[in-house]
Each structure stands twice: as structure tokens, then as C-alpha cells.
Amino acid sequence: MSVQVQATLLPGERVSGERPTPTAPTATFSLPPPLLVVGSTPLWVPEASDLGASNTVLPTEDAFRELYAGRADLVLGTLPPPPPPAGTSRPLSVPVGVFAISVAYNLPGVNLRLDTVTLCALLSGKISAWNAPAVAALNRGAALPALPVLLSARTARNGTSLAVAGACVKAGIWPPDQYKSNWSGGAAFRRATLGAQRTDLNIPGALALFSLQATPPGVQLAKLRSGGNSFVAPRSELGLSGPRLPGARPILPSSFGPLHASSVVGAYPLRGLVWASVMPEQAYRGRGPERAQALLALISALRSGSGRGVSGLPQGTWTTPALNYGGVRVSEEP
């Protein structure tokens, strides 16, 4: 009697001479890296993370250096881009949000009210005392002290100074050559950082400007005159009405120009724009068309949402940016 022994094969083993059983191919997924957003303004909408966007806060010059080198996808900030390196296209910049500018001061017991004309005169040094007639006319009954106006101005380029200069030029109070991002006007203190400006507000008579998101907590904030002769506290809103008729001037400026004066009754008048800057041709450094579509979706999300002291832009004030991929216009929809 013969005994047949059946060998038990371990996983992966086979009988000698037996052809291997073909295995099913393993599915592999190649996901693109997250969109890298850099610049002075943080992302303000939760949808950004859903779209795979990460955020690194960088000074303007460093942010655009990353964009020009292809290491970043989008710059989010308030200042115009520096010239690109030779052989690199200029970026496409579009407005995506609006931020209010707070007028902070130190006058104990005074609830300050100002209009744009008087504020611009205070900033330029044309009005140098807090009890000046122009200030007193807006604050009837207030005990304005005979203190000098101690303006704390930033010497570094910044979007708050640029937006305020635009408002003062638009109002005809400052000459056009003063539309710049690092003016000092009638400053008593010239500071390089926000921290130094915040410290200056401990001095009676001090005056300083901050974006709403950078405003120190607990400081006194002036109310500004709006349409309808009301005085309003700072809040981020565009304050421009539509719809626009054919041939009318655009609601939003191009190329980092100043905002038009607010035209909505009760809107806060002192505000600036946040801009998104991208490369107009997206077929570079291994990027795919889906990445360009994700960029358009991110820009739309920023324009539609509010947070962190920034408000989106009303529908009808903007159009989809003209991004190309290989010379073909990119659509937000796949």
C-alpha cells in the first residue's frame, strides 16, 4: 500500500514547474500636493482646507519670490507685486476681499467722531491739536483736550497705509503723489512694526491706524461719518452699490488702485482690498489642469466668505480670473 503525502503550501509558494497565478494590479493614487498660499493675509474661510489649501504667512517680497519660483500657487495680500525676474510673466492680481481700517486713539473720556476730510488732515499734520475747530465741530459737547496729535506711522510698506492714502487722495485732501504704502505725514513716531505702534497708544494724544484684524483689543476706536450723516464703528464691508450700467466705471479698481468712496448709507468708509495673485499660465513646473481649477475654486470661496476681519465681495462686482492652461482658458467646473 502506498501512502500519498500532500504537501501544504505556504502563502506565496508554488509547486515546482507550476506557472505562477497572475495577480490583480494594485491600484495606485497620485494626489497633487495641497495648494500653497503665501502672503501677508491669512486665509479667512474654512472652505480653503476643504479645497486642499495650506497657508504660510510671509512678507510681500518673500511671498512673490515663492510664487515666481513656482514653489507657491497663490499670494494673498494687500500690496502690489514686485517686478518678476527676467523671463517670468507678470502675475495676475484680482481683488478677493475687503478689510476695514481702524482709527485708534488715546483720549480718555472722549468718544471720537471723525469724517474722512478731518482724518486726512490729522494724518498729514494740517491739524495738529485735538481741540482744533474742525475736530470740535464733529464732537460737540465732548471735552477735547489741548493735546498735540501724536501720530504713529509705519515706515515699512503696508496695505493699511496704502488704503488710507487712497482714501485721502480720492477725497482731494492729499496730492496724487502721496498714494503710497509707507507715508509718514505729520507723524510724531515713525515705527517699523505693529508692536511699536500698539505701544505708542499708551501715550495720551496718540493716533494710529490698523487693519481690523490687527487692531489691539481694548483700545479706543473712532467712529467715522458715513452716508446719511451717521457715524459708524469699523466693520469690513465693500460699501459700493450696484448693479452697474453699460459704460459705467467698474466697481472695483484694477492694478491695486484705490477704492471708490463708499456709496451705501451706513457703510464704514475707510477700507482696503485684499488681492489674490497667481501666474496667468498654469502649465508650469508639473502642474495639472485640475490644480488650476482648484485655484479658481479657492478664489471664489474667498470672495464668497467672511472671517478674521475680512469680508468677501458682493456678487456682481467681480468676474472669474482669466487663467490659462497650455494657452486654453481654464473653467472652474471640471
Side-chain angles (χ1 to χ4, degrees), residues 229-263:
N229 206 32
S230 59
F231 289 86
V232 295
R235 61 175 180 262
S236 297
E237 57 189 327
L238 185 60
L240 296 173
S241 59
R244 311 305 297 169
L245 298 176
R249 67 180 183 179
I251 288 181
L252 297 175
S254 59
S255 303
F256 290 82
L259 265 172
H260 302 306
S262 59
S263 58

Side-chain angles (χ1 to χ4, degrees), residues 97-326:
V98 61
F99 64 97
I101 297 164
S102 301
V103 180
Y105 66 97
N106 185 342
L107 295 175
V110 175
N111 296 317
L112 188 65
R113 301 194 301 182
L114 296 171
D115 58 19
T116 302
V117 171
T118 305
L119 172 63
C120 295
L122 288 166
L123 299 176
S124 67
K126 291 181 179 179
I127 297 177
S128 58
W130 282 111
N131 63 346
V135 182
L138 296 168
N139 296 272
R140 298 189 185 281
L144 294 170
L147 287 173
V149 177
L150 302 176
L151 173 63
S152 176
R154 286 184 66 189
T155 55
R157 295 175 65 241
N158 66 95
T160 297
S161 292
L162 182 66
V164 172
C168 292
V169 169
K170 281 279 188 181
I173 309 304
W174 291 11
D177 62 3
Q178 289 302 300
Y179 180 58
K180 51 188 180 181
S181 59
N182 60 344
W183 50 266
S184 56
F189 311 111
R190 293 169 173 81
R191 305 303 192 193
T193 65
L194 283 170
Q197 285 187 291
R198 294 183 179 115
T199 300
D200 289 338
L201 282 175
N202 294 317
I203 305 170
L207 174 68
L209 302 166
F210 300 95
S211 65
L212 188 59
Q213 58 267 48
T215 301
V219 300
Q220 292 178 284
L221 300 179
K223 290 185 176 181
L224 300 186
R225 175 178 275 166
S226 176
N229 206 32
S230 59
F231 289 86
V232 295
R235 61 175 180 262
S236 297
E237 57 189 327
L238 185 60
L240 296 173
S241 59
R244 311 305 297 169
L245 298 176
R249 67 180 183 179
I251 288 181
L252 297 175
S254 59
S255 303
F256 290 82
L259 265 172
H260 302 306
S262 59
S263 58
V264 176
V265 173
Y268 187 72
L270 196 61
R271 66 270 192 264
L273 288 172
V274 180
W275 298 73
S277 298
V278 297
M279 301 310 292
E281 173 55 65
Q282 286 291 303
Y284 70 106
R285 291 185 68 91
R287 285 166 166 79
E290 297 83 4
R291 197 173 186 85
Q293 290 174 331
L295 268 179
L296 290 179
L298 176 59
I299 289 172
S300 292
L302 291 169
R303 285 170 158 174
S304 302
S306 300
R308 297 187 177 183
V310 180
S311 175
L313 302 174
Q315 290 285 343
T317 63
W318 47 269
T319 57
T320 302
L323 292 190
N324 293 320
Y325 190 86

Side-chain angles (χ1 to χ4, degrees), residues 27-33 286 290:
T28 59
F29 298 93
S30 178
L31 295 178
E290 297 83 4

